[in-house]
Structures are given as C-alpha cells and as structure tokens.
Amino acid sequence: MKKFIFSLIVFAVVILFIGSCSQIDDSPKALVNLVLVDTPAKWDSVLVEIEGVDVEVLLEGRETGSQTFYLEYKTGDKKIRVSDLVAGRALIIGRDELPVGKIIGLKVRMGSRHSLYQEKKGYNMPLKKPEDPFVTLETALDLQAGVAFDIILDLDLESSILQTSTDPLSFELDPVFTVILGAGAGEVKGVISPATLKPAIYLIQGIDSISTQVNTSGSYLFRVPKGTYSLYFDPKDSTYNSQRITNVQVDSASITQLELVTFTKKQ
C-alpha cells in the first residue's frame, strides 16, 4: 500500500513538472538596452532621479493594440550624476528581453529628487510639473528575435534646467530627451584646446541642434543619426574667438573623428 501511495506521489510530481514546463515562455525575444547619456549644461554637477522607462510595444502579428513593459532602473539609489556622462561615458538604466514586434513609444518615469551644484553650493530642482512625472518620447524600432538593440536617451540639461528666480536663485527641471537608436547611430568626436576652456559645442542640422561640453581633457562626443552636420564652438569666454566646422558627414555605426579645434585669442 505504501509503495502504491509513493508511486502516486511520484506520478503527480512528474505531471506537475511537465505542466510547469509547458508554461515556460519560449516565444522569440529581443534584448533591449536603455542607455542614458548627457548633453551637459554649464553647471558643475547635476543629479537627476529616474525610476525607469515604460516601453510600448506593438507585438508581432497584432494589427491593433499594444503592450507596455516597465524597465526599472534597478539600483538602491536612483539618483544619477548625469553631468558625468560625457565624452563617451554612458549608463544602462534599463535592460530586458521583449517580445518580437515594434517599439512605438517610451515614457521615462522621473523621480522627485533632482539637484544641481554650482561653486560648491547646492540647489534643489522640483519638476516643472510634479503632478506628471512622465516624459513621453516618440520612437519607432522593429525588434527582431535574438538581436540586441540599444536605445540611447540623451538628456539635454541645457534645455531641461530652468532658472525660475534670481533672488533667491532657484531652478526647476523640465526634462528634455533626444532618442537615438543605437543600431543606426554614428559618433562625432574630437578635442579642443586649450582644455581649460568650457565651451558650448552645438551640432547643427538644418534648424535643429543639440549641444554638449567637454570633459576635463577637452574631449567631446555626439551620438546622432546618419546625416550631414555642422558644428559651432562657443568659447563662453569673451577673450576668445568662436570656431565653426561645416559639412561633417556621419555614417551609421561609425566614428567621425574631427581634427583638433584650437581657440584663438581676440586681437
């Protein structure tokens, strides 16, 4: 009798195991990496809190309807020193395998703790619309099975930080992101001299432009889609002349290395 009961238990366990295996999701997936970079501002240091990103996917085989996947920034402290993400430095703020289909939108979930530092003095930055912490971004990316995709979120601090008063000095944050699809992005990089300058560097295409600054060694980097651009270098110092480079060709998945840009003193 005991052997019979034992046999029934083993049989039940096997059935449960087979049933659980049949529930494993073996549908094709694509790996998505959400990568944060910074288009820095003039401030010494800027910290921004990001909770994660909602990714809206139109699943393959569905003509209507979509599904949203939350890619959380999984860390104890979600405050990010985004002003350090320059000249090639980047931070993955979300990663997951998603079903095959088409990404049709992103929503960045902002936290509530944002601040900047200038000359060793700190300033809190509330969101411009604290009741709506989501930043909606349009994008379109086809996900293919077994392929990893990088989605670069370029946070433009120069445009995102708003000065609300001068006495006392206060600020608020209205996040402005540019979405760059890593698979089709190219890089523009170079170095300025003297490295002690902190110029604003603008990459321009038509009426659109994005800006960045240099790191401590004078290096700068842009990640942008394929196209033809010009660069304008504003020295932010009235004793130096501005500089310009035109007809810069950027190709997909390639690096365009520019010659050294040397700022000259005004006569």
Side-chain angles (χ1 to χ4, degrees):
M1 182 66 177
K2 289 183 179 179
K3 288 184 178 180
F4 176 71
I5 294 174
F6 177 77
S7 299
L8 283 178
I9 293 174
V10 172
F11 178 74
V13 170
V14 171
I15 292 299
L16 286 172
F17 177 76
I18 293 173
S20 65
C21 288
S22 66
Q23 296 175 9
I24 294 176
D25 184 3
D26 58 356
S27 58
K29 296 287 196 304
L31 178 64
V32 174
N33 301 309
L34 298 174
V35 183
L36 181 69
V37 298
D38 170 33
T39 300
K42 58 186 177 182
W43 317 109
D44 291 341
S45 181
V46 180
L47 288 90
V48 171
E49 186 176 42
I50 296 179
E51 301 285 347
V53 181
D54 291 318
V55 183
E56 186 179 3
V57 181
L58 185 62
L59 301 183
E60 188 176 56
R62 294 188 184 181
E63 296 181 358
T64 59
S66 61
Q67 188 171 346
T68 299
F69 300 87
Y70 179 48
L71 275 60
E72 181 184 5
Y73 177 41
K74 295 181 179 180
T75 181
D77 187 354
K78 298 180 186 295
K79 291 182 71 174
I80 303 166
R81 193 178 297 274
V82 292
S83 50
D84 288 348
L85 304 178
V86 295
R89 295 187 63 184
L91 176 69
I92 294 179
I93 59 171
R95 170 182 283 169
D96 203 355
E97 290 185 334
L98 301 184
V100 172
K102 183 174 185 177
I103 294 178
I104 57 175
L106 305 170
K107 281 188 178 181
V108 182
R109 296 190 189 185
M110 305 299 298
S112 59
R113 301 179 301 154
H114 316 289
S115 57
L116 67 82
Y117 292 84
Q118 183 68 8
E119 297 179 352
K120 298 183 180 180
K121 186 173 182 179
Y123 302 87
N124 290 324
M125 290 190 299
L127 288 175
K128 182 178 182 180
K129 297 179 180 178
E131 72 282 1
D132 182 16
F134 293 93
V135 182
T136 301
L137 305 172
E138 294 183 0
T139 189
L141 175 63
D142 292 319
L143 300 178
Q144 302 172 23
V147 179
F149 296 88
D150 289 342
I151 300 177
I152 300 169
L153 305 179
D154 190 343
L155 178 56
D156 187 343
L157 291 180
E158 193 76 48
S159 301
S160 301
I161 297 173
L162 308 176
Q163 183 175 321
T164 54
S165 70
T166 56
D167 189 16
L169 190 59
S170 60
F171 304 89
E172 61 185 15
L173 184 69
D174 187 15
V176 177
F177 291 89
T178 299
V179 179
I180 303 168
L181 303 180
E187 293 185 354
V188 178
K189 60 192 307 184
V191 180
I192 64 102
S193 177
T196 51
L197 276 181
K198 297 295 182 183
I201 306 172
Y202 298 89
L203 188 73
I204 305 165
Q205 186 180 56
I207 61 174
D208 299 322
S209 68
I210 57 175
S211 62
T212 192
Q213 290 184 322
V214 297
N215 62 13
T216 55
S217 63
S219 298
Y220 62 90
L221 182 144
F222 290 96
R223 293 183 179 90
V224 289
K226 177 181 178 180
T228 302
Y229 299 85
S230 61
L231 286 92
Y232 175 73
F233 298 79
D234 181 354
K236 297 289 186 179
D237 184 328
S238 59
T239 65
Y240 284 89
N241 294 303
S242 62
Q243 302 291 330
R244 185 183 295 272
I245 302 175
T246 60
N247 197 31
V248 176
Q249 185 65 44
V250 180
D251 294 321
S252 298
S254 66
I255 298 174
T256 300
Q257 180 69 53
L258 301 179
E259 294 182 357
L260 174 68
V261 172
T262 301
F263 287 90
T264 58
K265 285 275 192 175
K266 290 182 177 178
Q267 299 296 329

Coordinates of all heavy atoms in Angstrom, one line a residue, residues 10-65:
V10 N 4.9 10.3 -6.8 CA 5.9 10.5 -7.9 C 5.2 10.9 -9.2 O 5.6 11.8 -9.9 CB 6.8 9.2 -8.1 CG1 7.7 9.4 -9.3 CG2 7.6 9.0 -6.8
F11 N 4.1 10.2 -9.5 CA 3.4 10.4 -10.8 C 2.9 11.9 -10.8 O 2.9 12.6 -11.8 CB 2.3 9.4 -10.9 CG 1.4 9.6 -12.1 CD1 1.9 9.3 -13.4 CD2 0.1 10.2 -12.0 CE1 1.1 9.5 -14.5 CE2 -0.6 10.4 -13.2 CZ -0.2 10.0 -14.4
A12 N 2.3 12.3 -9.6 CA 1.8 13.6 -9.5 C 2.8 14.7 -9.7 O 2.6 15.7 -10.4 CB 1.1 13.8 -8.2
V13 N 4.0 14.5 -9.1 CA 5.1 15.4 -9.2 C 5.6 15.5 -10.7 O 5.8 16.6 -11.2 CB 6.3 15.0 -8.3 CG1 7.6 15.8 -8.7 CG2 6.0 15.1 -6.9
V14 N 5.7 14.4 -11.4 CA 6.0 14.4 -12.8 C 5.0 15.2 -13.6 O 5.4 16.0 -14.5 CB 6.2 12.9 -13.3 CG1 6.4 13.0 -14.8 CG2 7.4 12.2 -12.6
I15 N 3.7 15.0 -13.3 CA 2.7 15.7 -14.1 C 2.8 17.2 -13.8 O 2.7 18.0 -14.7 CB 1.3 15.2 -13.7 CG1 1.1 13.7 -14.2 CG2 0.2 16.1 -14.3 CD1 1.2 13.6 -15.7
L16 N 3.0 17.6 -12.5 CA 3.2 19.0 -12.2 C 4.4 19.6 -12.9 O 4.3 20.7 -13.4 CB 3.3 19.2 -10.7 CG 2.0 19.0 -9.9 CD1 2.3 19.0 -8.4 CD2 1.0 20.1 -10.2
F17 N 5.5 18.8 -13.0 CA 6.7 19.3 -13.6 C 6.5 19.5 -15.1 O 6.8 20.6 -15.7 CB 7.8 18.3 -13.4 CG 9.1 18.7 -14.1 CD1 9.9 19.7 -13.6 CD2 9.5 18.1 -15.3 CE1 11.1 20.1 -14.3 CE2 10.7 18.4 -15.9 CZ 11.4 19.5 -15.4
I18 N 5.8 18.6 -15.7 CA 5.5 18.7 -17.2 C 4.6 19.9 -17.4 O 4.8 20.6 -18.4 CB 4.9 17.4 -17.7 CG1 5.9 16.2 -17.6 CG2 4.4 17.6 -19.1 CD1 5.3 14.9 -18.0
G19 N 3.6 20.1 -16.5 CA 2.7 21.2 -16.7 C 3.4 22.5 -16.5 O 3.2 23.4 -17.3
S20 N 4.3 22.6 -15.6 CA 5.0 23.8 -15.4 C 6.0 24.1 -16.5 O 6.1 25.3 -16.9 CB 5.8 23.8 -14.0 OG 6.9 22.8 -14.1
C21 N 6.6 23.1 -17.1 CA 7.5 23.3 -18.3 C 6.7 23.8 -19.5 O 7.2 24.6 -20.2 CB 8.2 22.0 -18.6 SG 9.4 21.5 -17.5
S22 N 5.4 23.4 -19.6 CA 4.6 23.8 -20.7 C 4.3 25.3 -20.6 O 3.9 25.9 -21.6 CB 3.4 22.9 -20.8 OG 2.5 23.2 -19.7
Q23 N 4.4 25.9 -19.4 CA 4.0 27.3 -19.2 C 5.2 28.2 -19.5 O 5.1 29.4 -19.4 CB 3.5 27.5 -17.8 CG 2.2 26.7 -17.6 CD 1.7 26.8 -16.2 OE1 2.2 27.6 -15.4 NE2 0.7 26.1 -15.8
I24 N 6.4 27.6 -19.7 CA 7.6 28.5 -19.9 C 7.4 29.2 -21.2 O 7.1 28.6 -22.2 CB 8.9 27.6 -19.9 CG1 9.1 27.0 -18.5 CG2 10.1 28.4 -20.4 CD1 10.3 26.1 -18.5
D25 N 7.7 30.5 -21.2 CA 7.6 31.3 -22.4 C 8.8 31.1 -23.3 O 9.9 31.6 -23.0 CB 7.4 32.8 -22.0 CG 7.2 33.7 -23.2 OD1 7.0 33.2 -24.3 OD2 7.1 34.9 -23.0
D26 N 8.6 30.4 -24.4 CA 9.7 30.2 -25.3 C 9.5 30.9 -26.6 O 10.1 30.6 -27.6 CB 9.8 28.6 -25.6 CG 8.5 28.0 -26.1 OD1 7.5 28.8 -26.2 OD2 8.6 26.8 -26.5
S27 N 8.6 32.0 -26.6 CA 8.4 32.8 -27.7 C 9.7 33.6 -28.0 O 10.5 33.9 -27.1 CB 7.3 33.7 -27.5 OG 7.5 34.6 -26.4
P28 N 9.9 34.0 -29.3 CA 11.2 34.7 -29.7 C 11.2 36.0 -29.0 O 10.2 36.7 -28.8 CB 11.0 34.8 -31.2 CG 9.6 34.6 -31.5 CD 9.1 33.7 -30.5
K29 N 12.4 36.4 -28.6 CA 12.6 37.7 -27.8 C 13.8 38.5 -28.5 O 14.6 38.0 -29.2 CB 13.0 37.4 -26.4 CG 11.9 36.7 -25.6 CD 10.8 37.6 -25.2 CE 9.9 37.0 -24.1 NZ 9.4 35.7 -24.4
A30 N 13.8 39.8 -28.1 CA 14.9 40.7 -28.5 C 15.3 41.4 -27.2 O 14.5 41.7 -26.4 CB 14.4 41.7 -29.5
L31 N 16.6 41.5 -27.1 CA 17.2 42.2 -25.9 C 17.2 43.7 -26.2 O 17.7 44.2 -27.2 CB 18.6 41.7 -25.6 CG 19.3 42.4 -24.4 CD1 18.6 42.1 -23.1 CD2 20.8 41.9 -24.4
V32 N 16.6 44.5 -25.2 CA 16.6 46.0 -25.4 C 17.4 46.6 -24.2 O 17.2 46.3 -23.0 CB 15.2 46.5 -25.3 CG1 15.1 48.0 -25.3 CG2 14.4 46.0 -26.6
N33 N 18.4 47.4 -24.5 CA 19.1 48.2 -23.6 C 18.8 49.6 -23.7 O 18.8 50.2 -24.7 CB 20.6 48.0 -23.8 CG 21.1 46.6 -23.8 OD1 20.8 45.9 -22.8 ND2 21.8 46.2 -24.8
L34 N 18.4 50.2 -22.5 CA 18.1 51.7 -22.5 C 19.3 52.4 -21.9 O 19.7 52.1 -20.7 CB 16.9 52.0 -21.6 CG 15.6 51.4 -22.1 CD1 14.5 51.6 -21.1 CD2 15.2 52.0 -23.5
V35 N 20.0 53.2 -22.7 CA 21.3 53.8 -22.3 C 21.1 55.3 -22.2 O 20.7 56.0 -23.1 CB 22.3 53.5 -23.4 CG1 23.7 54.0 -23.0 CG2 22.4 52.0 -23.7
L36 N 21.5 55.8 -21.0 CA 21.4 57.2 -20.7 C 22.8 57.9 -21.0 O 23.8 57.4 -20.5 CB 21.0 57.4 -19.3 CG 20.9 58.9 -18.8 CD1 19.7 59.6 -19.5 CD2 20.7 59.0 -17.3
V37 N 22.7 59.0 -21.7 CA 23.9 59.8 -21.9 C 23.5 61.3 -21.6 O 22.3 61.5 -21.4 CB 24.5 59.7 -23.3 CG1 25.0 58.3 -23.6 CG2 23.5 60.2 -24.4
D38 N 24.4 62.2 -21.6 CA 24.1 63.5 -21.1 C 24.6 64.5 -22.2 O 25.8 64.4 -22.7 CB 24.8 63.8 -19.8 CG 24.8 65.3 -19.4 OD1 23.8 65.9 -19.8 OD2 25.7 65.7 -18.7
T39 N 23.8 65.5 -22.5 CA 24.2 66.7 -23.2 C 24.3 67.7 -22.1 O 23.4 68.3 -21.7 CB 23.2 67.1 -24.2 OG1 23.0 66.0 -25.2 CG2 23.6 68.3 -25.0
P40 N 25.5 68.0 -21.6 CA 25.7 68.7 -20.3 C 25.5 70.2 -20.4 O 25.5 70.8 -21.5 CB 27.2 68.4 -20.0 CG 27.8 68.2 -21.3 CD 26.8 67.5 -22.1
A41 N 25.2 70.8 -19.3 CA 25.0 72.2 -19.1 C 26.2 72.8 -18.5 O 27.2 72.2 -18.2 CB 23.7 72.5 -18.4
K42 N 26.1 74.1 -18.1 CA 27.2 74.8 -17.6 C 27.4 74.6 -16.1 O 28.4 75.0 -15.5 CB 27.0 76.3 -17.8 CG 25.7 76.8 -17.1 CD 25.4 78.3 -17.5 CE 24.1 78.8 -16.9 NZ 23.8 80.2 -17.3
W43 N 26.6 73.8 -15.5 CA 26.6 73.6 -14.0 C 27.8 72.6 -13.7 O 28.1 71.8 -14.5 CB 25.3 73.1 -13.5 CG 24.1 73.8 -14.1 CD1 23.2 73.4 -15.0 CD2 23.8 75.2 -13.9 NE1 22.4 74.3 -15.4 CE2 22.7 75.5 -14.7 CE3 24.3 76.2 -13.2 CZ2 22.1 76.7 -14.8 CZ3 23.7 77.5 -13.2 CH2 22.6 77.7 -14.0
D44 N 28.3 72.8 -12.5 CA 29.4 71.9 -12.0 C 29.0 70.5 -11.9 O 29.7 69.6 -12.3 CB 29.9 72.4 -10.7 CG 30.6 73.7 -10.8 OD1 31.0 74.1 -11.9 OD2 30.8 74.4 -9.7
S45 N 27.8 70.3 -11.4 CA 27.3 68.9 -11.2 C 25.7 68.9 -11.2 O 25.1 69.8 -10.7 CB 27.8 68.3 -9.9 OG 27.4 67.0 -9.7
V46 N 25.1 67.9 -11.9 CA 23.7 67.8 -11.9 C 23.3 66.4 -11.6 O 23.8 65.4 -12.2 CB 23.1 68.2 -13.3 CG1 21.6 68.1 -13.3 CG2 23.5 69.6 -13.6
L47 N 22.4 66.2 -10.6 CA 21.9 64.9 -10.3 C 20.4 64.8 -10.6 O 19.6 65.7 -10.2 CB 22.1 64.6 -8.8 CG 23.5 64.3 -8.3 CD1 24.2 65.6 -8.0 CD2 23.6 63.3 -7.2
V48 N 20.0 63.7 -11.3 CA 18.6 63.5 -11.7 C 18.1 62.2 -11.2 O 18.9 61.2 -11.4 CB 18.4 63.7 -13.2 CG1 17.1 63.3 -13.6 CG2 18.7 65.2 -13.6
E49 N 16.9 62.1 -10.7 CA 16.4 60.8 -10.3 C 15.5 60.2 -11.4 O 14.5 60.8 -11.8 CB 15.6 60.9 -9.0 CG 15.2 59.6 -8.4 CD 14.5 59.7 -7.1 OE1 13.7 60.7 -6.9 OE2 14.7 58.9 -6.2
I50 N 15.8 59.0 -11.8 CA 15.0 58.3 -12.8 C 14.6 56.9 -12.2 O 15.4 56.1 -11.8 CB 15.8 58.1 -14.1 CG1 16.1 59.5 -14.7 CG2 15.0 57.2 -15.1 CD1 16.9 59.4 -16.0
E51 N 13.3 56.7 -12.2 CA 12.7 55.4 -11.7 C 12.9 54.3 -12.7 O 13.1 53.1 -12.4 CB 11.3 55.6 -11.3 CG 11.0 56.6 -10.3 CD 11.4 56.2 -8.9 OE1 11.7 55.0 -8.7 OE2 11.5 57.1 -8.0
G52 N 12.6 54.6 -14.0 CA 12.7 53.5 -15.1 C 12.0 54.1 -16.3 O 11.7 55.3 -16.4
V53 N 11.7 53.2 -17.2 CA 11.1 53.6 -18.5 C 10.0 52.6 -18.9 O 10.2 51.4 -18.9 CB 12.2 53.7 -19.6 CG1 11.5 54.1 -20.9 CG2 13.3 54.6 -19.2
D54 N 8.9 53.1 -19.3 CA 7.8 52.3 -19.9 C 8.0 52.2 -21.4 O 8.2 53.2 -22.0 CB 6.4 52.9 -19.6 CG 6.0 52.8 -18.1 OD1 6.3 51.8 -17.5 OD2 5.5 53.8 -17.6
V55 N 8.1 50.9 -21.9 CA 8.3 50.7 -23.3 C 7.0 50.1 -23.9 O 6.6 49.1 -23.5 CB 9.5 49.7 -23.5 CG1 9.7 49.6 -25.0 CG2 10.7 50.3 -22.8
E56 N 6.4 50.9 -24.9 CA 5.2 50.4 -25.5 C 5.6 49.6 -26.8 O 6.3 50.2 -27.7 CB 4.3 51.6 -25.8 CG 2.9 51.2 -26.4 CD 2.0 52.4 -26.7 OE1 2.5 53.5 -26.5 OE2 0.9 52.1 -27.1
V57 N 5.1 48.4 -26.9 CA 5.4 47.5 -28.0 C 4.2 47.1 -28.7 O 3.2 46.6 -28.1 CB 6.2 46.3 -27.5 CG1 6.6 45.4 -28.7 CG2 7.5 46.7 -26.8
L58 N 4.1 47.2 -30.0 CA 3.1 46.6 -30.8 C 3.6 45.2 -31.2 O 4.6 45.1 -32.0 CB 2.9 47.5 -32.1 CG 1.7 47.1 -33.0 CD1 0.4 47.1 -32.3 CD2 1.7 47.9 -34.3
L59 N 3.0 44.2 -30.6 CA 3.5 42.9 -30.8 C 3.3 42.4 -32.2 O 2.4 42.7 -32.9 CB 2.8 41.9 -29.8 CG 2.9 42.3 -28.3 CD1 2.2 41.2 -27.5 CD2 4.4 42.4 -27.9
E60 N 4.3 41.5 -32.6 CA 4.2 41.0 -34.0 C 2.9 40.1 -34.1 O 2.6 39.4 -33.3 CB 5.4 40.1 -34.2 CG 5.6 39.6 -35.6 CD 6.9 38.8 -35.8 OE1 7.1 37.8 -35.0 OE2 7.7 39.2 -36.6
G61 N 2.3 40.3 -35.3 CA 1.1 39.6 -35.6 C -0.2 40.3 -35.1 O -1.3 39.9 -35.4
R62 N 0.0 41.5 -34.4 CA -1.2 42.2 -34.0 C -1.2 43.5 -34.8 O -0.3 44.3 -34.8 CB -1.1 42.6 -32.5 CG -1.2 41.4 -31.6 CD -1.3 41.8 -30.1 NE -1.2 40.7 -29.2 CZ -1.3 40.9 -27.9 NH1 -1.4 42.1 -27.4 NH2 -1.3 39.8 -27.1
E63 N -2.4 43.7 -35.4 CA -2.5 45.0 -36.2 C -2.9 46.1 -35.3 O -2.6 47.3 -35.6 CB -3.6 44.8 -37.3 CG -3.1 43.7 -38.3 CD -4.2 43.6 -39.4 OE1 -5.2 44.2 -39.3 OE2 -3.9 42.8 -40.4
T64 N -3.6 45.9 -34.2 CA -4.0 46.9 -33.3 C -3.7 46.5 -31.9 O -3.6 45.3 -31.6 CB -5.5 47.2 -33.4 OG1 -6.3 46.0 -33.1 CG2 -5.9 47.7 -34.8
G65 N -3.7 47.4 -31.0 CA -3.4 47.1 -29.6 C -1.9 47.0 -29.3 O -1.2 46.5 -30.2

